Amino acid sequence: MEIKQDDRQLISWSKQDGGSFENADKPNGQHLASDFSSLHSKDLLPAKNGEEVTKHFLQELLNILLAYISKSLNRSSKVLDFHHPHQLKEGLEGFSLELQDQPDNLEQLLVDCQDTLKYGVKTAHPCFFNQLSTGLDIIGLAGEWVTSTANTNIFTYEIAPVFILMEDIIFKKMHSIIGWSEKEGDGIFCPGGTMSNLYSVLLARYHFFPRVKTAGMLALPPLALLTSTHSHFSIKKSAAVLGIGSESVFLVKCDESIALILMKYNLVLYPQGLVPFYVNATAGTTVYGAIDPLNDIADICERFGLWMHVDAAWGGGLLLSKRHRMKLQGIDRASSITWNPHKMMGVPLQCSVILVQKKGLLQECNQLCAEYLFQPDKHYDVSYDTGDKSIQCGRHVDIFKLWLMWKAKGSEGFESQVNHCLENAEYLYYKLKSRKDFQLVFQSQPEHSNVCFWYLPTSVRNMPPGPERDRELHMVAPKIKAKMMEEGMTMIGYQPLGDKVNFFRCVFSNPATQKEDVDFLLDEITRLGRELYS
Amino acid sequence: MEIKQDDRQLISWSKQDGGSFENADKPNGQHLASDFSSLHSKDLLPAKNGEEVTKHFLQELLNILLAYISKSLNRSSKVLDFHHPHQLKEGLEGFSLELQDQPDNLEQLLVDCQDTLKYGVKTAHPCFFNQLSTGLDIIGLAGEWVTSTANTNIFTYEIAPVFILMEDIIFKKMHSIIGWSEKEGDGIFCPGGTMSNLYSVLLARYHFFPRVKTAGMLALPPLALLTSTHSHFSIKKSAAVLGIGSESVFLVKCDESIALILMKYNLVLYPQGLVPFYVNATAGTTVYGAIDPLNDIADICERFGLWMHVDAAWGGGLLLSKRHRMKLQGIDRASSITWNPHKMMGVPLQCSVILVQKKGLLQECNQLCAEYLFQPDKHYDVSYDTGDKSIQCGRHVDIFKLWLMWKAKGSEGFESQVNHCLENAEYLYYKLKSRKDFQLVFQSQPEHSNVCFWYLPTSVRNMPPGPERDRELHMVAPKIKAKMMEEGMTMIGYQPLGDKVNFFRCVFSNPATQKEDVDFLLDEITRLGRELYS
């Protein structure tokens, strides 16, 4: 495999410099480059005398990462350098994904790290609007580096004492923000919001039907779950996985009064022999960012004795803002809540929690008391061991980055971050409202930072409403997105939803994004649209 | 909050030095320390002119991490500095876990990182024998740092093109090592082995009863799962979570012929109206490291048309060694396999896969075609999008560290790592065999790197076999472990199993561990034992 000369220059360290952002493009220290090409992973620690090589290798890696971070935040850089799967698979300029039996040298490995970043997507870029999780928090990143260096598992206090206590403290903090009393509240970190939502269904089922744990669904009546049409597909997925069946999930239309619908369903489901037990309310839907009326739903749940789950994976961050938290009024009445700090709070991926009002339920529902794993006769207070609360066994440490960011920003830092994102959304909303070549998907001001809109090429604008116009409009977003990705200067998602044909969804969660980036996005869509539709 | 003088010295960077391992203990560059105390996270990127501060902050963090790595591998350092939960909660010498509304400065944050590592457990230490996952691979660590800097989600090719293709390549590699043909084989990375095992039950159920996805367990006959008594508790947990019920898991005794037992069960279960559909064979049990006779079990599964899962979370690594891979003969006949590279292969936590022989099944079983998340009309080959194969939605990128380590070591590097660990186990086994103050739990040579033994204080040694001796012996390991953790020079796990009272389990997965460390472990146990029982 040939290494490009360009790359060779990067793979060098400089004792004088200690790694400046710029030196990744300068050939300084190049006389040392050959060192890495004759060194291998076996020369790193724990090898005898491996300390120096390890230091220089990680120092060089840091330089690469610093250069990447700097580039990601530079508005004149591309967000992505798109290649089709077959192109990347064939190997690009010395970047081969294939694995050999023999080891590569450290020089090649550093080039591989660089290429991996180069051909990836710069999710930290101020013009990356594609996902609910964007940005790169430096403190959060530092937290991840510490976590991976500690390389431990968070199932027992024995091997993760500090991290386990940090989880405890963050949960108390989150409970108090929600409005739960000190006597209430439990939680666990999960690998993503879908898993958190799955926990909520699992816990609700166990709460009402504890026999399910040992005897399974055959010992239970046929169950029903309720959720709104725009809720995340993870409620259906949970029903499928947990053996309840996806057909047991009943969708409630968003544009009618949820309270009324729920009552109707309760009246409809029971006669069919179905037992509704669980209602999912969404605080921040994936596409619209809409928030269900939590208090209305809580009333219904109380009246019928149903488990109320709030999927606030996306909306949970709003609780940190005095300006926006009232949108989630009633969330304290939930039996369980999903909240993903890796979304609106900008914590690096992954960081998601399921919060449970009833203390002890997580443990009861999931414990199997495997004494060979979690010994009860240890010399410390084993109530801190979390292994039996989880449906996982080993768990990745997702707490430290969040804890460190909270230390670094304080609650007030998160608040201004959230406010900033919603201000960007508002700015985009008013911009779009005033434009004729764009059309908002919903007219009211967005509740969260999602702004949904169509770009209308002149040809479409001149068509009368109807199926033909819809067919044409449906193609606009995919066409523009394809060209946008190939040019790589910005990135935004699109999707259809219900009877709405493909539209763009812009979301703001990156604190680096400013109004000028919003302007740029609209300029780019217009430019690409004109090129495609001229 | 007061910062100790010792710590202050660390929080400094040196332009001259660029961070040597030693400088973490030297006060050089101390004149700059005050900079960090007046800087906050808001001064880091994306702040205007935040580049320099970001660089210096991450440079200082690197110095801290390098010092920690060096210390972790230094045999004269402690493995842990034990404190009880209440002690850590109260705060130790300026290390407070509590969170405030106001931001802390960068100096404090760096001290916090340092303290977090200090009061944690050095899982990389050559004398850390406590878990199946030990050690710290520098290349793997570099992989984690790159991954967290890329901060993306691996559910679509769109935002994780390189990582998704790397998964593809690693799966092909693993399939070929197992012995599956190119036409066979699929897989997905999971957050831990328990989730991988859960996938296996989910897939088996769907394979035989696809109606379960929509209609739930009520549309199915009562099911039965078979597994050996020493298998991981995740099989039971999966049955509980998936709505099958933990009572549906039937245990097969390990000391009888599994083939016979399985036949018996099949003859017993059917008349009861139970439908066995799934057999879990373990390749490397958690405590003993025992390997079930895979070919015998495969014969039975073929004969009765059962799904054969092999839980090789721990044993999978042996496949990389020509010397040891025959122990897993028959694994190619499995319908699914759990394999955790974060265990024997030394990849940083977490890294676990479920491999599935039948192509397409993962997708069929888990897809919900949520068009609002995974658009089919994108301009690239969307068959690479993995979102619909997973029961998660977003997934953490666990592939890169493994891919990079494979590049770095080649298959042959992993092979010698595995062989080294098993040589250490053999060394310990023969040592123990020759000692009177130790007793092996099982007499035969270990199949994997697990060595299980009792330490026998003279008082116990002089007792006749029987319940009284057992009662006394049961207390020995917890007592020694408590003292061992308080002194902190080594760490090993213990547990009871079946009719065996508490015994030590030593496992080797850390390439840093040498024979001298094995000797030290025995010396320590003897020393602590003598102190406690003199």
Side-chain angles (χ1 to χ4, degrees), chain A residues 403-435:
Chain A
W403 180 88
L404 196 68
M405 281 174 69
W406 216 307
K407 268 256 176 180
K409 292 172 198 290
S411 307
E412 59 185 39
F414 279 123
E415 173 164 30
S416 62
Q417 203 168 301
V418 168
N419 288 344
H420 173 73
C421 291
L422 270 85
E423 279 157 23
N424 277 337
E426 205 179 328
Y427 178 77
L428 173 59
Y429 169 76
Y430 282 109
K431 274 253 158 189
L432 290 169
K433 234 175 135 73
S434 70
R435 299 272 295 247

Side-chain angles (χ1 to χ4, degrees), chain B residues 23-229:
Chain B
N23 88 331
D25 294 325
K26 279 184 205 158
N28 60 358
Q30 205 173 348
H31 60 287
L32 290 168
S34 58
D35 289 359
F36 282 134
S37 70
S38 63
L39 291 166
H40 293 81
S41 66
K42 66 174 172 43
D43 300 307
L44 297 166
L45 285 173
K48 221 176 160 176
N49 306 322
E51 206 158 289
E52 275 302 296
V53 182
T54 302
K55 174 194 149 186
H56 290 306
F57 175 75
L58 290 177
Q59 181 65 55
E60 189 53 43
L61 183 75
L62 177 65
N63 296 346
I64 290 171
L65 297 178
L66 288 170
Y68 175 77
I69 293 168
S70 173
K71 206 168 180 183
S72 294
L73 289 165
N74 184 339
R75 290 187 167 75
S76 62
S77 310
K78 281 181 161 194
V79 174
L80 79 162
D81 183 6
F82 182 78
H83 292 83
H84 284 280
H86 68 91
Q87 295 173 310
L88 271 175
K89 273 186 144 175
E90 283 155 12
L92 292 162
E93 302 181 73
F95 182 41
S96 162
L97 303 178
E98 291 302 328
L99 300 168
Q100 314 296 327
D101 287 342
Q102 286 76 39
D104 264 330
N105 62 50
L106 296 185
E107 179 172 343
Q108 181 60 49
L109 294 172
L110 287 166
V111 174
D112 286 338
C113 288
Q114 227 167 6
D115 283 342
T116 297
L117 292 168
K118 180 179 171 191
Y119 295 113
V121 174
K122 297 190 184 67
T123 58
H125 197 290
C127 293
F128 178 75
F129 303 98
N130 210 70
Q131 306 296 137
L132 300 183
S133 302
T134 62
L136 183 65
D137 189 277
I138 299 297
I139 299 290
L141 182 65
E144 280 290 64
W145 291 3
V146 170
T147 300
S148 52
T149 309
N151 193 30
T152 198
N153 194 320
I154 196 163
F155 53 12
T156 61
Y157 179 84
E158 186 171 329
I159 58 162
V162 183
F163 297 135
I164 281 207
L165 294 181
M166 284 173 175
E167 281 196 348
D168 213 51
I169 279 162
I170 287 279
F171 284 136
K172 290 216 171 78
K173 193 89 185 166
M174 290 177 126
H175 297 157
S176 109
I177 288 169
I178 284 160
W180 286 345
S181 77
E182 272 188 35
K183 284 182 207 152
E184 298 166 317
D186 203 344
I188 199 149
F189 279 76
C190 302
T194 290
M195 293 307 294
S196 296
N197 284 341
L198 185 141
Y199 263 97
S200 74
V201 180
L202 183 73
L203 290 165
R205 181 175 70 175
Y206 178 79
H207 172 71
F208 292 114
F209 310 101
R211 273 277 287 154
V212 71
K213 184 171 168 182
T214 50
M217 288 298 292
L218 289 180
L220 271 54
L223 303 179
L225 300 91
L226 298 161
T227 189
S228 66
T229 41

Side-chain angles (χ1 to χ4, degrees), chain A residues 26 42 54 80 114 154 205 318 327 390 404 439 441 472 509-510 520:
Chain A
K26 280 184 203 157
K42 67 175 173 41
T54 302
L80 78 162
Q114 228 167 6
I154 196 163
R205 180 176 70 175
L318 300 182
K327 295 175 183 171
S390 169
L404 196 68
Q439 186 187 334
V441 173
E472 194 62 31
S509 61
N510 186 351
F520 178 76

Side-chain angles (χ1 to χ4, degrees), chain B residues 151-333:
Chain B
N151 193 30
T152 198
N153 194 320
I154 196 163
F155 53 12
T156 61
Y157 179 84
E158 186 171 329
I159 58 162
V162 183
F163 297 135
I164 281 207
L165 294 181
M166 284 173 175
E167 281 196 348
D168 213 51
I169 279 162
I170 287 279
F171 284 136
K172 290 216 171 78
K173 193 89 185 166
M174 290 177 126
H175 297 157
S176 109
I177 288 169
I178 284 160
W180 286 345
S181 77
E182 272 188 35
K183 284 182 207 152
E184 298 166 317
D186 203 344
I188 199 149
F189 279 76
C190 302
T194 290
M195 293 307 294
S196 296
N197 284 341
L198 185 141
Y199 263 97
S200 74
V201 180
L202 183 73
L203 290 165
R205 181 175 70 175
Y206 178 79
H207 172 71
F208 292 114
F209 310 101
R211 273 277 287 154
V212 71
K213 184 171 168 182
T214 50
M217 288 298 292
L218 289 180
L220 271 54
L223 303 179
L225 300 91
L226 298 161
T227 189
S228 66
T229 41
H230 288 180
S231 68
H232 193 264
F233 77 116
S234 50
I235 305 302
K236 266 200 176 175
K237 192 155 257 190
S238 300
V241 169
L242 300 178
I244 304 173
S246 60
E247 285 169 2
S248 306
V249 179
F250 291 83
L251 299 178
V252 176
K253 276 190 197 158
C254 293
D255 51 356
E256 297 184 58
S257 154
I258 285 197
L260 273 173
I261 302 275
L262 276 176
M263 285 183 67
K264 190 177 81 190
Y265 261 109
N266 250 304
L267 296 172
V268 170
L269 296 173
Y270 271 120
Q272 280 186 43
L274 293 167
V275 180
F277 72 109
Y278 172 98
V279 177
N280 171 61
T282 309
T285 60
T286 311
V287 181
Y288 288 168
I291 298 166
D292 284 332
L294 304 185
N295 263 324
D296 292 357
I297 295 173
D299 288 344
I300 294 294
C301 288
E302 266 172 31
R303 183 161 155 198
F304 290 98
L306 302 170
W307 182 280
M308 178 180 171
H309 175 65
V310 177
D311 177 0
W314 175 224
L318 299 183
L319 292 168
L320 293 157
S321 160
K322 285 185 279 293
R323 200 183 302 162
H324 298 289
R325 62 166 290 136
M326 81 275 278
K327 293 173 184 173
L328 275 71
Q329 242 174 18
I331 195 168
D332 56 307
R333 297 168 70 189

Side-chain angles (χ1 to χ4, degrees), chain A residues 15-16 18-19 21 41 45 51 55 59 61-62 70 82-85 88-89 96-101 103-104 109 112 116 119 121 123 130-131 135 138 141-142 145 148-152 155 157-158 161-163 165-166 168-170 191 194-195 205 213-214 216-218 222 232-233 237 240-247 348-350 366 368 372-373 375 377 379 384 390-394 396 400 403 407-408 410-412 478 481-482 486 491 494 502, chain B residues 15-16 18-21 41 45 51 55 59 61-62 70 82-85 88-89 96-101 103-104 109 112 116 119 121 123 130-131 135 138 141-142 145 148-152 155 157-158 161-163 165-166 168-170 173 191 194-195 205 213-214 216-218 222 232-233 237 240-247 348-350 366 368 372-373 375 377 379 384 390-394 396 400 403 407-408 410-412 481-482 486 491 494 502:
Chain A
K15 290 210 173 176
Q16 281 68 49
F21 275 45
S41 66
L45 284 174
E51 207 158 287
K55 175 195 149 186
Q59 180 64 53
L61 182 74
L62 177 66
S70 174
F82 181 78
H83 292 83
H84 284 281
L88 272 174
K89 272 186 143 174
S96 163
L97 303 178
E98 293 301 328
L99 300 168
Q100 313 297 328
D101 287 342
D104 263 330
L109 294 172
D112 286 338
T116 297
Y119 295 113
V121 174
T123 58
N130 209 71
Q131 307 294 137
I138 300 296
L141 183 64
W145 292 2
S148 51
T149 310
N151 193 32
T152 197
F155 53 12
Y157 179 85
E158 186 171 328
V162 183
F163 298 135
L165 294 181
M166 285 174 175
D168 212 49
I169 277 162
I170 286 279
T194 290
M195 292 307 295
R205 180 176 70 175
K213 184 172 169 182
T214 49
M217 288 298 293
L218 289 180
H232 193 263
F233 78 117
K237 193 155 257 191
V241 169
L242 301 178
I244 304 172
S246 60
E247 285 169 1
L349 288 157
Q350 282 183 318
N366 293 318
L368 284 175
Y372 75 93
L373 287 173
Q375 302 79 35
D377 55 358
H379 75 299
Y384 285 94
S390 169
I391 61 172
Q392 303 176 264
C393 176
H396 188 260
F400 184 64
W403 180 88
K407 268 256 176 180
S411 307
E412 59 185 39
K481 168 84 177 252
E486 265 154 29
M491 208 167 155
Y494 73 83
N502 276 326
Chain B
K15 290 211 173 177
Q16 281 68 50
S20 83
F21 275 44
S41 66
L45 285 173
E51 206 158 289
K55 174 194 149 186
Q59 181 65 55
L61 183 75
L62 177 65
S70 173
F82 182 78
H83 292 83
H84 284 280
L88 271 175
K89 273 186 144 175
S96 162
L97 303 178
E98 291 302 328
L99 300 168
Q100 314 296 327
D101 287 342
D104 264 330
L109 294 172
D112 286 338
T116 297
Y119 295 113
V121 174
T123 58
N130 210 70
Q131 306 296 137
I138 299 297
L141 182 65
W145 291 3
S148 52
T149 309
N151 193 30
T152 198
F155 53 12
Y157 179 84
E158 186 171 329
V162 183
F163 297 135
L165 294 181
M166 284 173 175
D168 213 51
I169 279 162
I170 287 279
K173 193 89 185 166
T194 290
M195 293 307 294
R205 181 175 70 175
K213 184 171 168 182
T214 50
M217 288 298 292
L218 289 180
H232 193 264
F233 77 116
K237 192 155 257 190
V241 169
L242 300 178
I244 304 173
S246 60
E247 285 169 2
L349 289 157
Q350 285 184 317
N366 293 318
L368 284 176
Y372 75 93
L373 287 172
Q375 302 80 33
D377 55 357
H379 75 300
Y384 286 95
S390 168
I391 61 173
Q392 302 176 264
C393 178
H396 188 261
F400 185 64
W403 181 88
K407 267 259 179 179
S411 306
E412 59 185 38
K481 169 84 177 251
E486 265 153 30
M491 208 167 155
Y494 72 84
N502 276 327

Side-chain angles (χ1 to χ4, degrees), chain B residues 494-521:
Chain B
Y494 72 84
Q495 66 289 300
L497 194 66
D499 58 355
K500 311 271 197 281
V501 298
N502 276 327
F503 56 87
F504 288 115
R505 177 203 65 171
C506 190
V507 274
F508 298 94
S509 61
N510 186 353
T513 301
Q514 301 295 342
K515 293 196 174 66
E516 59 178 298
D517 304 305
V518 179
D519 291 338
F520 178 76
L521 173 71

